[in-house]
Amino acid sequence: MFETLDPVPAEIANAISDGISAFNESAEIRREAFAIIWRENGRLLGGITASVSFSVLFIGNLWVAQSQRLGGTGTKLMAAAEEEGRRRAAVTACVDTLSTQAPAFYPKLGYVEFGRIGGRAEGRPVDRIWFRKELSAA
């Protein structure tokens, strides 16, 4: 029997993720996940989640507190993730974003668009955009 779950319970999301991880491990496909965060006086002001597999650094989420935006924190977090990716033998980096977020940010860091798909949100067009960057040796 098929079911639609909305919202998705955490235990279901974890079970699906764990199942994929177990399969990948059995097929010797490694995925090394990590996060880099920025704290000041114990307060979390930004962070990035990422993973490396297939020699590719996959950027998951990049977040900077509203009060800290446009101050270079996002650029520093991306640089730190790229460096960690290189340390883990990544030769390419990949990230996706929405046209409603900050798509101009990634080209400034040397990323090149390689894919785009259009959609709609609340009646307005929204694109999902994928970027990649070749990582030079550390």
mmCIF file of all heavy atoms in Angstrom, residues 38-66:
data_model
loop_
_atom_site.group_PDB
_atom_site.id
_atom_site.type_symbol
_atom_site.label_atom_id
_atom_site.label_comp_id
_atom_site.label_asym_id
_atom_site.label_seq_id
_atom_site.Cartn_x
_atom_site.Cartn_y
_atom_site.Cartn_z
ATOM 1 N N TRP A 38 29.958 29.165 11.726
ATOM 2 C CA TRP A 38 30.564 30.377 12.253
ATOM 3 C C TRP A 38 29.758 30.798 13.473
ATOM 4 O O TRP A 38 28.554 30.987 13.397
ATOM 5 C CB TRP A 38 30.573 31.482 11.206
ATOM 6 C CG TRP A 38 31.079 32.804 11.733
ATOM 7 C CD1 TRP A 38 32.173 33.020 12.522
ATOM 8 C CD2 TRP A 38 30.500 34.074 11.520
ATOM 9 N NE1 TRP A 38 32.324 34.342 12.791
ATOM 10 C CE2 TRP A 38 31.289 35.028 12.185
ATOM 11 C CE3 TRP A 38 29.386 34.512 10.815
ATOM 12 C CZ2 TRP A 38 31.011 36.375 12.179
ATOM 13 C CZ3 TRP A 38 29.109 35.861 10.814
ATOM 14 C CH2 TRP A 38 29.916 36.777 11.484
ATOM 15 N N ARG A 39 30.447 30.881 14.598
ATOM 16 C CA ARG A 39 29.828 31.323 15.845
ATOM 17 C C ARG A 39 30.572 32.538 16.361
ATOM 18 O O ARG A 39 31.767 32.662 16.176
ATOM 19 C CB ARG A 39 29.925 30.257 16.928
ATOM 20 C CG ARG A 39 29.088 29.064 16.726
ATOM 21 C CD ARG A 39 29.231 28.180 17.959
ATOM 22 N NE ARG A 39 29.020 26.799 17.615
ATOM 23 C CZ ARG A 39 28.060 26.060 18.115
ATOM 24 N NH1 ARG A 39 27.241 26.554 18.994
ATOM 25 N NH2 ARG A 39 27.937 24.815 17.752
ATOM 26 N N GLU A 40 29.836 33.374 17.019
ATOM 27 C CA GLU A 40 30.416 34.528 17.693
ATOM 28 C C GLU A 40 29.731 34.641 19.048
ATOM 29 O O GLU A 40 28.507 34.678 19.119
ATOM 30 C CB GLU A 40 30.182 35.785 16.857
ATOM 31 C CG GLU A 40 31.180 36.884 17.135
ATOM 32 C CD GLU A 40 31.068 37.967 16.091
ATOM 33 O OE1 GLU A 40 31.775 37.861 15.066
ATOM 34 O OE2 GLU A 40 30.280 38.910 16.305
ATOM 35 N N ASN A 41 30.532 34.654 20.099
ATOM 36 C CA ASN A 41 30.006 34.695 21.461
ATOM 37 C C ASN A 41 28.976 33.593 21.698
ATOM 38 O O ASN A 41 27.945 33.811 22.337
ATOM 39 C CB ASN A 41 29.400 36.065 21.780
ATOM 40 C CG ASN A 41 30.425 37.171 21.678
ATOM 41 O OD1 ASN A 41 31.579 36.993 22.079
ATOM 42 N ND2 ASN A 41 30.027 38.301 21.130
ATOM 43 N N GLY A 42 29.254 32.400 21.162
ATOM 44 C CA GLY A 42 28.381 31.257 21.341
ATOM 45 C C GLY A 42 27.140 31.251 20.464
ATOM 46 O O GLY A 42 26.374 30.294 20.475
ATOM 47 N N ARG A 43 26.922 32.289 19.697
ATOM 48 C CA ARG A 43 25.729 32.413 18.845
ATOM 49 C C ARG A 43 26.049 31.971 17.418
ATOM 50 O O ARG A 43 27.015 32.444 16.828
ATOM 51 C CB ARG A 43 25.252 33.860 18.864
ATOM 52 C CG ARG A 43 23.906 34.057 18.227
ATOM 53 C CD ARG A 43 23.379 35.474 18.510
ATOM 54 N NE ARG A 43 22.638 35.893 17.329
ATOM 55 C CZ ARG A 43 22.845 36.994 16.649
ATOM 56 N NH1 ARG A 43 23.761 37.858 17.039
ATOM 57 N NH2 ARG A 43 22.127 37.280 15.594
ATOM 58 N N LEU A 44 25.238 31.078 16.875
ATOM 59 C CA LEU A 44 25.425 30.615 15.514
ATOM 60 C C LEU A 44 25.004 31.715 14.545
ATOM 61 O O LEU A 44 23.871 32.181 14.579
ATOM 62 C CB LEU A 44 24.586 29.357 15.258
ATOM 63 C CG LEU A 44 24.755 28.710 13.893
ATOM 64 C CD1 LEU A 44 26.187 28.213 13.683
ATOM 65 C CD2 LEU A 44 23.768 27.567 13.743
ATOM 66 N N LEU A 45 25.949 32.153 13.697
ATOM 67 C CA LEU A 45 25.681 33.243 12.753
ATOM 68 C C LEU A 45 25.731 32.796 11.303
ATOM 69 O O LEU A 45 25.383 33.568 10.404
ATOM 70 C CB LEU A 45 26.672 34.384 12.978
ATOM 71 C CG LEU A 45 26.556 35.072 14.332
ATOM 72 C CD1 LEU A 45 27.667 36.085 14.504
ATOM 73 C CD2 LEU A 45 25.200 35.736 14.470
ATOM 74 N N GLY A 46 26.158 31.573 11.065
ATOM 75 C CA GLY A 46 26.201 31.077 9.704
ATOM 76 C C GLY A 46 26.713 29.659 9.665
ATOM 77 O O GLY A 46 27.302 29.166 10.627
ATOM 78 N N GLY A 47 26.451 29.005 8.554
ATOM 79 C CA GLY A 47 26.940 27.643 8.399
ATOM 80 C C GLY A 47 26.714 27.126 6.998
ATOM 81 O O GLY A 47 25.956 27.697 6.214
ATOM 82 N N ILE A 48 27.405 26.039 6.716
ATOM 83 C CA ILE A 48 27.289 25.384 5.415
ATOM 84 C C ILE A 48 27.342 23.885 5.649
ATOM 85 O O ILE A 48 28.108 23.410 6.483
ATOM 86 C CB ILE A 48 28.422 25.866 4.468
ATOM 87 C CG1 ILE A 48 28.190 25.416 3.047
ATOM 88 C CG2 ILE A 48 29.777 25.450 4.966
ATOM 89 C CD1 ILE A 48 29.102 26.105 2.034
ATOM 90 N N THR A 49 26.467 23.155 4.971
ATOM 91 C CA THR A 49 26.518 21.700 4.992
ATOM 92 C C THR A 49 26.985 21.243 3.622
ATOM 93 O O THR A 49 26.682 21.867 2.601
ATOM 94 C CB THR A 49 25.144 21.075 5.306
ATOM 95 O OG1 THR A 49 24.196 21.485 4.321
ATOM 96 C CG2 THR A 49 24.673 21.477 6.701
ATOM 97 N N ALA A 50 27.730 20.151 3.605
ATOM 98 C CA ALA A 50 28.279 19.661 2.348
ATOM 99 C C ALA A 50 28.636 18.191 2.491
ATOM 100 O O ALA A 50 28.634 17.641 3.596
ATOM 101 C CB ALA A 50 29.519 20.473 1.963
ATOM 102 N N SER A 51 28.940 17.581 1.375
ATOM 103 C CA SER A 51 29.431 16.208 1.376
ATOM 104 C C SER A 51 30.340 16.025 0.172
ATOM 105 O O SER A 51 30.290 16.800 -0.785
ATOM 106 C CB SER A 51 28.274 15.209 1.336
ATOM 107 O OG SER A 51 27.555 15.342 0.131
ATOM 108 N N VAL A 52 31.160 14.997 0.258
ATOM 109 C CA VAL A 52 32.028 14.638 -0.859
ATOM 110 C C VAL A 52 31.754 13.187 -1.215
ATOM 111 O O VAL A 52 31.764 12.312 -0.340
ATOM 112 C CB VAL A 52 33.524 14.828 -0.508
ATOM 113 C CG1 VAL A 52 34.416 14.282 -1.627
ATOM 114 C CG2 VAL A 52 33.837 16.285 -0.247
ATOM 115 N N SER A 53 31.468 12.953 -2.474
ATOM 116 C CA SER A 53 31.406 11.603 -3.021
ATOM 117 C C SER A 53 31.701 11.712 -4.515
ATOM 118 O O SER A 53 31.485 12.764 -5.124
ATOM 119 C CB SER A 53 30.058 10.926 -2.759
ATOM 120 O OG SER A 53 29.000 11.652 -3.300
ATOM 121 N N PHE A 54 32.214 10.631 -5.080
ATOM 122 C CA PHE A 54 32.584 10.603 -6.504
ATOM 123 C C PHE A 54 33.577 11.714 -6.858
ATOM 124 O O PHE A 54 33.553 12.245 -7.962
ATOM 125 C CB PHE A 54 31.361 10.754 -7.413
ATOM 126 C CG PHE A 54 30.207 9.873 -7.065
ATOM 127 C CD1 PHE A 54 29.054 10.408 -6.550
ATOM 128 C CD2 PHE A 54 30.284 8.512 -7.250
ATOM 129 C CE1 PHE A 54 27.972 9.605 -6.225
ATOM 130 C CE2 PHE A 54 29.209 7.691 -6.922
ATOM 131 C CZ PHE A 54 28.054 8.242 -6.418
ATOM 132 N N SER A 55 34.407 12.129 -5.903
ATOM 133 C CA SER A 55 35.368 13.223 -6.084
ATOM 134 C C SER A 55 34.685 14.558 -6.350
ATOM 135 O O SER A 55 35.268 15.461 -6.937
ATOM 136 C CB SER A 55 36.348 12.917 -7.224
ATOM 137 O OG SER A 55 37.075 11.744 -6.942
ATOM 138 N N VAL A 56 33.424 14.676 -5.925
ATOM 139 C CA VAL A 56 32.673 15.918 -6.095
ATOM 140 C C VAL A 56 32.253 16.442 -4.727
ATOM 141 O O VAL A 56 31.754 15.685 -3.888
ATOM 142 C CB VAL A 56 31.418 15.705 -6.971
ATOM 143 C CG1 VAL A 56 30.617 16.990 -7.103
ATOM 144 C CG2 VAL A 56 31.810 15.180 -8.347
ATOM 145 N N LEU A 57 32.478 17.723 -4.530
ATOM 146 C CA LEU A 57 31.989 18.417 -3.336
ATOM 147 C C LEU A 57 30.579 18.892 -3.639
ATOM 148 O O LEU A 57 30.371 19.685 -4.560
ATOM 149 C CB LEU A 57 32.891 19.621 -3.021
ATOM 150 C CG LEU A 57 32.367 20.606 -1.982
ATOM 151 C CD1 LEU A 57 32.271 19.956 -0.605
ATOM 152 C CD2 LEU A 57 33.253 21.850 -1.946
ATOM 153 N N PHE A 58 29.609 18.375 -2.907
ATOM 154 C CA PHE A 58 28.216 18.787 -3.058
ATOM 155 C C PHE A 58 27.877 19.743 -1.915
ATOM 156 O O PHE A 58 27.903 19.345 -0.749
ATOM 157 C CB PHE A 58 27.277 17.579 -3.016
ATOM 158 C CG PHE A 58 27.429 16.661 -4.185
ATOM 159 C CD1 PHE A 58 28.239 15.531 -4.102
ATOM 160 C CD2 PHE A 58 26.769 16.917 -5.373
ATOM 161 C CE1 PHE A 58 28.384 14.677 -5.184
ATOM 162 C CE2 PHE A 58 26.903 16.074 -6.467
ATOM 163 C CZ PHE A 58 27.723 14.949 -6.373
ATOM 164 N N ILE A 59 27.599 21.001 -2.242
ATOM 165 C CA ILE A 59 27.185 21.974 -1.235
ATOM 166 C C ILE A 59 25.704 21.744 -0.979
ATOM 167 O O ILE A 59 24.891 21.775 -1.909
ATOM 168 C CB ILE A 59 27.425 23.429 -1.714
ATOM 169 C CG1 ILE A 59 28.890 23.654 -2.082
ATOM 170 C CG2 ILE A 59 26.925 24.429 -0.688
ATOM 171 C CD1 ILE A 59 29.868 23.530 -0.938
ATOM 172 N N GLY A 60 25.340 21.539 0.277
ATOM 173 C CA GLY A 60 23.944 21.322 0.633
ATOM 174 C C GLY A 60 23.238 22.644 0.887
ATOM 175 O O GLY A 60 22.517 23.153 0.035
ATOM 176 N N ASN A 61 23.472 23.203 2.035
ATOM 177 C CA ASN A 61 22.840 24.469 2.414
ATOM 178 C C ASN A 61 23.888 25.454 2.903
ATOM 179 O O ASN A 61 24.820 25.080 3.614
ATOM 180 C CB ASN A 61 21.820 24.243 3.541
ATOM 181 C CG ASN A 61 20.618 23.470 3.071
ATOM 182 O OD1 ASN A 61 19.938 23.885 2.150
ATOM 183 N ND2 ASN A 61 20.367 22.327 3.678
ATOM 184 N N LEU A 62 23.701 26.688 2.520
ATOM 185 C CA LEU A 62 24.541 27.794 2.982
ATOM 186 C C LEU A 62 23.605 28.811 3.616
ATOM 187 O O LEU A 62 22.651 29.253 2.976
ATOM 188 C CB LEU A 62 25.292 28.428 1.806
ATOM 189 C CG LEU A 62 26.021 29.754 2.082
ATOM 190 C CD1 LEU A 62 27.107 29.586 3.123
ATOM 191 C CD2 LEU A 62 26.587 30.305 0.787
ATOM 192 N N TRP A 63 23.868 29.144 4.854
ATOM 193 C CA TRP A 63 23.019 30.100 5.563
ATOM 194 C C TRP A 63 23.888 31.088 6.329
ATOM 195 O O TRP A 63 24.875 30.702 6.959
ATOM 196 C CB TRP A 63 22.088 29.391 6.550
ATOM 197 C CG TRP A 63 21.397 30.329 7.474
ATOM 198 C CD1 TRP A 63 20.332 31.139 7.185
ATOM 199 C CD2 TRP A 63 21.734 30.608 8.827
ATOM 200 N NE1 TRP A 63 19.987 31.892 8.284
ATOM 201 C CE2 TRP A 63 20.843 31.580 9.314
ATOM 202 C CE3 TRP A 63 22.730 30.121 9.695
ATOM 203 C CZ2 TRP A 63 20.896 32.085 10.607
ATOM 204 C CZ3 TRP A 63 22.777 30.621 10.981
ATOM 205 C CH2 TRP A 63 21.868 31.589 11.421
ATOM 206 N N VAL A 64 23.527 32.373 6.258
ATOM 207 C CA VAL A 64 24.169 33.437 7.034
ATOM 208 C C VAL A 64 23.051 34.257 7.653
ATOM 209 O O VAL A 64 22.089 34.617 6.969
ATOM 210 C CB VAL A 64 25.070 34.324 6.142
ATOM 211 C CG1 VAL A 64 25.658 35.480 6.931
ATOM 212 C CG2 VAL A 64 26.181 33.495 5.504
ATOM 213 N N ALA A 65 23.173 34.546 8.940
ATOM 214 C CA ALA A 65 22.163 35.343 9.636
ATOM 215 C C ALA A 65 21.950 36.663 8.898
ATOM 216 O O ALA A 65 22.897 37.265 8.382
ATOM 217 C CB ALA A 65 22.590 35.605 11.081
ATOM 218 N N GLN A 66 20.715 37.088 8.844
ATOM 219 C CA GLN A 66 20.351 38.315 8.117
ATOM 220 C C GLN A 66 21.244 39.486 8.509
ATOM 221 O O GLN A 66 21.688 40.257 7.661
ATOM 222 C CB GLN A 66 18.879 38.651 8.375
ATOM 223 C CG GLN A 66 18.361 39.814 7.555
ATOM 224 C CD GLN A 66 18.257 39.513 6.075
ATOM 225 O OE1 GLN A 66 17.903 38.410 5.681
ATOM 226 N NE2 GLN A 66 18.573 40.479 5.244
#
